[in-house]
């Protein structure tokens, strides 16, 4: 579906909203994908009307994300590139050694990748595996740390790490939390924000007043933290 905001044509995807809420939930993702989550019973016109009412906000979000994406070039996975880990910037150093064990090491100011033969796919693959391993370790520790604040959660929820193109995290109806391994590139405060966001969904699966009240209780500065994470998205998703 699409509509015009001024001279700008904005396209969006309509998806079914599983909750009982009758409201249309609108999301603008870092890759500039616009999604409208609407009840299945909602008419096409009512969904379009709801999205148009948020036209200005959608346009502003798209403009910000487009600016971010324009500033970043696709990774080449060669020495000298900038890569992130826990909010800090590191220089990539690729070492070719035909007899060495292929590995990734985090050093002071750099991420060192050793390969038997230089290949963009090989360096990229080793880095992805390294980020995923670090993500599992980091997310597990942060989940344990923030659970002390989530008093409504009776048991430690199951957690998995899964690469997603447009989301940092999600929470299933049965309480399983899924986190994007790219999130480990963000500052710890941003990681805590995403985990707390998903923990709040265990109590309230919708973005209701109760949900935002819970977020405000466990992380009073969550809005500024979310904005910080959104601004970094273009760098972290690469």
């Amino acid at each position: 579906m699409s509509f015009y905001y001024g001279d700008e044509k904005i396209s969006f995807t309509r998806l079914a909203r599983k909750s009982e809420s009758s409201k249309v939930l609108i999301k603008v993702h870092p890759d500039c994908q616009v999604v409208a989550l609407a009840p299945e019973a909602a008419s096409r016109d009512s969904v379009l009307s709801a999205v148009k009412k948020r036209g200005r906000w959608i346009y502003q979000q798209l403009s910000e994300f487009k600016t971010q994406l324009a500033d970043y070039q696709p990774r080449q996975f060669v020495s000298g590139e900038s890569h992130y880990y826990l909010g800090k910037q590191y220089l990539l150093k690729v070492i070719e050694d035909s007899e060495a064990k292929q590995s990734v090491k985090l050093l002071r100011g750099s991420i060192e990748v050793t390969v038997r033969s230089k290949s963009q796919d090989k360096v990229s693959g080793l880095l992805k595996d390294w980020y995923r391993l670090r993500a599992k370790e980091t997310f597990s520790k942060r989940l344990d740390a923030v659970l002390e604040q989530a008093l409504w959660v009776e048991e430690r929820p199951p957690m998995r790490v899964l690469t997603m193109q447009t989301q940092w995290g999600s929470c299933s109806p049965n309480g399983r939390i899924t986190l994007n391994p790219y999130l480990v590139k963000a500052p710890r405060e941003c990681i805590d924000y995403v985990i707390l966001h998903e923990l709040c969904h265990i109590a309230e699966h919708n973005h209701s007043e109760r949900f935002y009240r819970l977020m405000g209780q466990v992380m009073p500065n969550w809005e500024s933290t979310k904005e910080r994470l959104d601004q970094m998205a273009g760098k972290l998703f690469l």
Side-chain angles (χ1 to χ4, degrees):
M1 300 173 70
S2 63
F3 68 99
Y4 279 90
Y5 181 80
D7 295 330
E8 182 86 8
K9 183 179 181 181
I10 298 177
S11 298
F12 66 94
T13 302
R14 174 181 175 170
L15 297 177
R17 189 170 186 182
K18 298 177 182 178
S19 70
E20 297 179 359
S21 173
S22 60
K23 294 182 179 179
V24 177
L25 179 64
I26 302 165
K27 295 183 178 182
V28 181
H29 296 294
D31 64 353
C32 294
Q33 180 184 6
V34 182
V35 175
L37 296 166
E40 292 184 357
S43 68
R44 179 185 177 89
D45 288 344
S46 65
V47 173
L48 192 57
S49 176
V51 175
K52 282 183 175 180
K53 287 180 181 178
R54 299 296 305 281
R56 182 178 180 182
W57 175 80
I58 295 170
Y59 179 81
Q60 290 174 339
Q61 291 290 106
L62 286 172
S63 296
E64 290 179 13
F65 285 135
K66 285 176 182 176
T67 300
Q68 291 177 25
L69 291 172
D71 291 338
Y72 306 117
Q73 299 298 320
R75 300 287 190 198
Q76 300 298 317
F77 298 97
V78 294
S79 292
E81 268 188 349
S82 202
H83 288 256
Y84 285 82
Y85 176 64
L86 293 180
K88 295 182 180 179
Q89 205 168 359
Y90 293 86
L91 285 180
L92 179 64
K93 184 177 181 182
V94 180
I95 298 175
E96 185 176 24
D97 188 333
S98 59
E99 297 181 359
K101 180 181 178 181
Q102 299 190 132
S103 63
V104 179
K105 294 179 182 178
L106 182 69
L107 304 175
R108 190 172 183 177
S110 67
I111 298 176
E112 186 178 283
V113 180
T114 301
V115 290
R116 295 192 184 94
S117 61
K118 286 186 179 180
S119 157
Q120 181 174 329
D121 289 342
K122 176 57 68 176
V123 176
S124 171
L126 285 170
L127 269 178
K128 285 181 180 178
D129 290 344
W130 181 80
Y131 274 122
R132 180 175 291 276
L133 179 61
R134 290 280 180 146
K136 287 180 179 179
E137 295 172 353
T138 302
F139 297 162
S140 182
K141 290 178 181 178
R142 297 317 305 159
L143 175 60
D144 288 337
V146 302
L147 268 174
E148 298 177 6
Q149 300 167 252
L151 301 180
W152 60 89
V153 180
E154 297 178 358
E155 296 181 359
R156 190 183 195 273
M159 184 190 72
R160 67 171 177 169
V161 174
L162 178 70
T163 301
M164 297 175 279
Q165 297 303 313
T166 59
Q167 290 178 276
W168 292 120
S170 66
C171 180
S172 69
N174 63 4
R176 182 179 66 180
I177 292 175
T178 300
L179 298 173
N180 195 324
Y182 289 141
L183 182 62
V184 80
K185 300 181 182 183
R188 191 184 73 179
E189 184 182 33
C190 295
I191 296 172
D192 287 356
Y193 155 71
V194 174
I195 295 176
L196 282 168
H197 182 107
E198 304 311 332
L199 288 175
C200 285
H201 277 312
I202 291 177
E204 186 63 37
H205 210 68
N206 309 315
H207 290 100
S208 62
E209 288 185 15
R210 184 188 177 204
F211 171 86
Y212 289 115
R213 189 162 59 247
L214 276 177
M215 277 301 303
Q217 290 171 358
V218 295
M219 182 177 261
N221 64 331
W222 72 267
E223 289 177 293
S224 60
T225 304
K226 178 184 183 300
E227 183 178 356
R228 183 183 181 191
L229 181 59
D230 287 343
Q231 289 174 348
M232 295 184 71
K235 306 172 187 176
L236 306 184
F237 267 101
L238 292 173

